[in-house]
Amino acid sequence: MIEPIYLDNASTTPLDPEVFDAMKPYFSTHFGNPSSIHSFGQFTKNALEDSREKIAHLLNAKPSEIFFSSGGTESNNMAVKGFFFSNPKDSLTVLTSKLEHKAVLEPLAWLSNKFSVQVNYISHDETGKIITTGIEDFSKGERLLVSIMLVNNELGNINPIELISEKVKKLGGYFHTDAVQAIGKVPFSLKGSSISLATVTAHKFYGPKGIGALFIREGTPIDSLLHGGSHERNRRAGTESAALAVGFAKALEISIRDFEKNDRQIRHVSALFLDSLSASLKDSGITFSLNGNENEKIAHVLNLSFHLPTKKRLASDVFLLAMDAVGVAISSGSACTSGTEKPSHVLLALGKTEDEARLSARISFSKFTTERDVLFASEKIPEALKRISK
C-alpha cells in the first residue's frame, strides 16, 4: 500500500528532526518553570531568553520586542485588540483586506460590533493583488491601524507591505503584518522597516505547534489580553514553554540557513506538479486555472480551480474528501475554517461562486515534498474529479 501523500503544508509543516532533537531535553531533564527562582527554573529561563535573543537576531529585531504567544491566532488577536485596548476611549480606524486570515478579520469584526472601531477594506483585483492607492486619503494624525499580511495563506500572493507600511508611517499610523506564511519562503527583516507589529508562528516552518510570537516595535501601544502573571514583561500572562521556544528558535535558524536550497527544491516540485497535472488532465474534458497573482507569489502554495465538462453542485468539502480517499491530503484554504458550510472567503472575495470555490483546492509543498509525491498527486486528481462528477 502506498503511503498517503501530504500536500497541505500551508496548514502545518512536519516537525524537522533537527528541531525535535533540540527540544527533547526540555521535555524531560530540563522541565522547570521559567518563573521559578531555583536552579531548575533558572535553567529553563536561560533557555527561554536565549531562544528569544536568537529569534530577535534572525528577524533583525531587539529581544525586548519579541513576545511569545500560543501561535498566529493569538498574536493576531493581541495585535489588533491589544492596540485598541491600549486606549479604548479613543475611536480607531482600521484598514485591512477581505483576503486576510480570519484570525485578523474576526477580531476586527468583534471590535467594530462592540466598540468605536471603524473597519475599512483596501481594494484588490481579480487575482487578489492589493491596490495601494487610497491609503493617502486617511487623515494624518487620526488613530489608524493597518493590517495586511505579507504572504496570503490561501493564494500565495506576496503583498507590497514595504510600500503600504511607509504610507501608513507618513500618516502617523501603525502597521501590522501577519507574516505567518512568509517565514522561510521570502526574505524577511524587521530592521529599518516601518512595521509596528508582526505575527509569526513556528509550525509553518517545520517548528512545533503551540508557539508563536508577536513583534512589538518599541513605542507601539499594546495592552495585554491575558492577565494573571508578569510573564512576557507583563504583556502576556501564562507559563512559557522553554521546549517550544527552543524549537521555535531552531526551526527559524534552519529555515533561514537553508532558504535558497529549500526555495530551489520547492520551485522544482511545484513546476513539476503543474506540468504533470496538465498532462494527466489532457483529453479528460477537465481543465484548471490558477487563482492568485501569478507574477508575485511564492511557489510553496498553488490555489487551483477545476472546471468539469458539466455543471456540478457540490456539498462542502466533497472534493477534499474524494482526494483523501485516493491518498492525497490537500485543503480548500485555511485549516482554521475547513469543515464550515461556506467555502473559502478568499475565493468568494475574488468573485468566485460557491460552486466554483468548492471545486478549488490549495495545494502546498514543503522541503520534504518529493517528485514522487507530486507525480502521484497529479495522477490522482483526475480520478477524484471523475468520481465526484458521476
Side-chain angles (χ1 to χ4, degrees), residues 2-3 5 14 130 146 155 180 182 202 226 293-294 298 304 342 356 374 381:
I2 295 176
E3 285 284 320
I5 303 301
I130 298 295
V146 178
L155 304 173
V180 162
L226 299 177
N293 183 358
E294 224 173 318
I298 59 171
L304 305 178
K342 287 276 186 183
E356 288 171 332
V374 297
I381 285 175

Side-chain angles (χ1 to χ4, degrees), residues 202-352:
H203 75 101
K204 302 294 188 180
F205 47 89
Y206 317 103
K209 298 174 185 65
I211 188 165
L214 180 64
F215 161 78
I216 307 176
R217 190 175 296 281
E218 286 182 350
T220 303
I222 287 286
D223 202 12
S224 176
L225 299 187
L226 299 177
H227 303 90
S230 59
H231 314 83
E232 294 303 294
R233 302 180 299 289
N234 292 304
R235 281 278 173 75
R236 196 261 186 188
T239 300
E240 302 100 334
S241 168
L244 297 181
V246 167
F248 185 167
K250 190 65 177 178
L252 184 58
E253 175 193 345
I254 295 169
S255 292
I256 292 174
R257 181 193 73 194
D258 297 344
F259 174 83
E260 291 186 5
K261 181 181 73 172
N262 293 341
D263 190 58
R264 282 195 304 271
Q265 188 263 338
I266 288 170
R267 287 180 186 277
H268 170 66
V269 294
S270 178
L272 179 63
F273 173 80
L274 287 175
D275 288 343
S276 181
L277 180 62
S278 296
S280 296
L281 291 174
K282 191 177 180 181
D283 301 325
S284 68
I286 301 169
T287 60
F288 71 90
S289 55
L290 180 68
N291 299 313
N293 183 358
E294 224 173 318
N295 300 317
E296 297 171 20
K297 70 180 297 298
I298 59 171
H300 301 63
V301 175
L302 293 176
N303 195 303
L304 305 178
S305 287
F306 294 92
H307 314 285
L308 302 177
T310 56
K311 291 282 185 182
K312 184 70 179 175
R313 173 156 289 192
L314 299 179
S316 177
D317 293 337
V318 165
F319 179 38
L320 306 186
L321 293 171
M323 286 298 297
D324 194 48
V326 295
V328 181
I330 58 175
S331 71
S332 58
S334 170
C336 301
T337 54
S338 65
T340 58
E341 285 289 320
K342 287 276 186 183
S344 162
H345 72 282
V346 171
L347 295 184
L348 296 179
L350 294 187
K352 299 283 184 187

Side-chain angles (χ1 to χ4, degrees), residues 138-193:
F138 288 91
S139 301
K140 190 172 184 178
E142 73 176 300
R143 193 178 181 213
L144 175 66
L145 175 67
V146 178
S147 181
I148 301 292
M149 56 175 43
L150 174 48
V151 173
N152 187 278
N153 62 303
E154 295 197 20
L155 304 173
N157 287 2
I158 303 171
N159 292 323
I161 67 164
E162 288 183 19
L163 173 63
I164 296 171
S165 61
E166 279 296 318
K167 290 185 175 188
V168 174
K169 185 179 180 180
K170 288 177 181 176
L171 291 170
Y174 293 84
F175 181 78
H176 165 249
T177 190
D178 176 346
V180 162
Q181 286 292 348
I183 305 299
K185 303 174 181 72
V186 296
F188 182 66
S189 173
L190 291 160
K191 186 177 182 180
S193 76

